[in-house]
Amino acid sequence: MRIAVYGASGFTGSLVVSEARRRGFEPVLVGRNLGRLRKAAEEAGAPNAEVRAAGLDEIREMTEVFADCDAVVNCAGPFTRWGEPVVRAAIAAGRHYVDTSGEQRHIHRMFEQFDSAAKQSAVAIVPGATDDGVPGDLIAHLAAARVPIVRDVLIADLRLPGGVSRGTARSMLAVAGSDRLEYADGDWRPDGGGEFEPIEAPGQTQPASLCAFGLPGVVTIPRHVAAERVRGAIRAEVAILFTGLTEASAEMVPEVVPMQARRDGRWLMLAEVTGADGRRSRGWVTGPDGYGLTAVIAVEAVHRLAEVGAPAGALAPAQAVDPADFLDFLTAAGARWQLSED
Ligand SMILES: NC(=O)c1ccc[n+]([C@@H]2O[C@H](COP(=O)([O-])OP(=O)(O)OC[C@H]3O[C@@H](n4cnc5c(N)ncnc54)[C@H](OP(=O)(O)O)[C@@H]3O)[C@@H](O)[C@H]2O)c1
């Protein structure tokens, strides 16, 4: 299987290239600068991998570049700014598409603007194929399936402050000024705020204080869970770090998160589902190395789209893959998951 990796010269892109090679697939490195792509191929241990140049204003060339690949993984963020040309080219080439965006507005736009074009081209597009977007969406689906009538879903990213890449810092800055969304009564609207109860997180000694945050799950979960309301939150201390970013401080963040920091960090997604009868169902997924896991998720997602198949259109993770089977697959990369009821 040939996988076109757009933005392969970046930190996440090069992890996706390495993971594709590890799986025995053929990565094709695509981006705006051939020199940087060649260097990335060497650093990813794939010096003979094909590199192809196509800038974001060259959609025709990009479409040609994608045409003899089986699928596209887009790692060029901030996606709110740069995401559109790559998905347009993937759809024009008739190729499945996933991206590594954590930007809620971009993910929402993918559903609103590209669903019918993807259906016409008979391809699947799955934005937000990351360590928060996919585990959060899948565990919420499984937790909700245990509740007869779902009233509220809270999706919470409970990771402690830790290593982020410059690309992530730039993306968080790119969405800092935009409204975060909540889902209520059948539609998305700006999150009205309000308090969250501190939440007990598995493996963490103190209850976590939460702040509303524009998580991908808020725009993906309502596509497969019939909830009245879906909100997203992250740890208050992490929210403060993101909201405190400036252009200057984002550019000071190192490009690459060192391997030790990746191994030491733990990502943790928790879904809490409250039924109409007040009973609660919970699920959580956790593991080390969020960036490495993002590469594992993106590569396995395009593998399943291309080889197992999925409906055409813009899809939430739980619409694109079998939730429990995919979470089980991630255990080989160190993930653990669990469901429980009150
Ligand atoms: N959990 C999550 O939400 C999660 C996890 C992992 C990654 N991500 C996201 O993935 C994205 C990449 O992160 P990263 O750390 O890998 O960033 P990075 O190292 O800065 O890489 C960015 C990539 O995008 C390319 N790019 C940027 N602007 C471009 C433009 N105008 N035209 C063409 N290519 C352009 C860069 O190409 P050049 O080398 O030519 O500059 C580079 O290949 C970020 O948005 C990040 O938030 C999210």
Side-chain angles (χ1 to χ4, degrees):
M1 185 172 114
R2 281 158 77 80
I3 302 175
V5 183
Y6 196 87
S9 52
F11 173 49
T12 308
S14 64
L15 294 176
V16 171
V17 170
S18 299
E19 172 63 9
R21 278 197 78 236
R22 190 188 71 79
R23 296 286 309 276
F25 306 139
E26 187 186 340
V28 176
L29 288 78
V30 192
R32 60 180 164 180
N33 184 299
L34 276 180
R36 277 202 290 276
L37 292 169
R38 284 202 191 95
K39 186 164 173 272
E42 273 167 31
E43 286 173 1
N48 299 322
E50 212 177 316
V51 298
R52 298 178 178 176
L56 293 176
D57 55 355
E58 299 171 315
I59 297 209
R60 198 169 48 80
E61 289 82 349
M62 205 188 291
T63 305
E64 284 167 13
V65 158
F66 292 162
D68 68 351
C69 297
D70 296 291
V72 176
V73 178
N74 183 12
C75 304
F79 294 84
T80 312
R81 205 171 289 150
W82 310 127
E84 214 174 300
V86 186
V87 70
R88 280 192 194 285
I91 292 171
R95 296 295 170 254
H96 299 304
Y97 166 98
V98 312
D99 68 40
T100 63
S101 175
E103 297 158 50
Q104 189 191 63
R105 280 283 170 176
H106 161 79
I107 296 168
H108 193 52
R109 184 178 57 170
M110 292 288 104
F111 286 97
E112 301 292 303
Q113 284 185 17
F114 294 103
D115 180 53
S116 57
K119 283 185 174 132
Q120 276 167 23
S121 281
V123 297
I125 60 178
V126 183
T130 65
D131 59 314
D132 58 334
V134 168
D137 187 78
L138 300 182
I139 199 71
H141 183 88
L142 294 170
R146 296 157 80 107
V147 174
I149 300 172
V150 175
R151 194 181 69 210
D152 293 327
V153 179
L154 168 67
I155 181 72
D157 185 333
L158 296 178
R159 77 192 67 205
L160 293 160
V164 298
S165 68
R166 187 181 303 162
T168 294
R170 284 177 177 158
S171 288
M172 290 301 103
L173 193 61
V175 294
S178 55
D179 284 329
R180 54 178 185 262
L181 298 175
E182 67 172 322
Y183 177 85
D185 305 323
D187 209 352
W188 288 271
R189 62 186 188 203
D191 189 308
E195 298 290 305
F196 292 93
E197 291 289 315
I199 198 159
E200 304 255 351
Q204 297 179 359
T205 46
Q206 299 286 332
S209 299
L210 299 180
C211 266
F213 200 77
L215 288 183
V218 174
V219 293
T220 60
I221 293 164
R223 298 179 190 277
H224 50 87
V225 172
E228 280 175 33
R229 192 174 192 215
V230 181
R231 297 190 69 200
I234 61 173
R235 278 181 170 276
E237 63 260 49
V238 176
I240 287 167
L241 292 177
F242 284 146
T243 50
L245 280 168
T246 62
E247 295 280 348
S249 64
E251 294 309 312
M252 303 277 283
V253 174
E255 274 178 50
V256 165
V257 182
M259 186 47 110
Q260 194 57 49
R262 282 168 52 194
R263 285 203 192 102
D264 291 347
R266 292 200 83 73
W267 54 271
L268 170 54
M269 298 303 298
L270 183 139
E272 189 173 84
V273 178
T274 308
D277 58 3
R279 273 187 287 179
R280 280 195 313 199
S281 159
R282 265 185 170 205
W284 52 261
V285 198
T286 187
D289 186 13
Y291 286 95
L293 190 88
T294 292
V296 169
I297 286 172
V299 169
E300 180 59 8
V302 286
H303 174 230
R304 292 193 185 202
L305 293 180
E307 310 261 314
V308 180
L315 303 177
Q319 296 172 308
V321 299
D322 179 88
D325 186 63
F326 200 90
L327 289 174
D328 282 343
F329 172 84
L330 297 182
T331 58
R336 288 185 300 122
W337 63 281
Q338 192 172 303
L339 295 165
S340 62
E341 274 142 55
D342 273 2

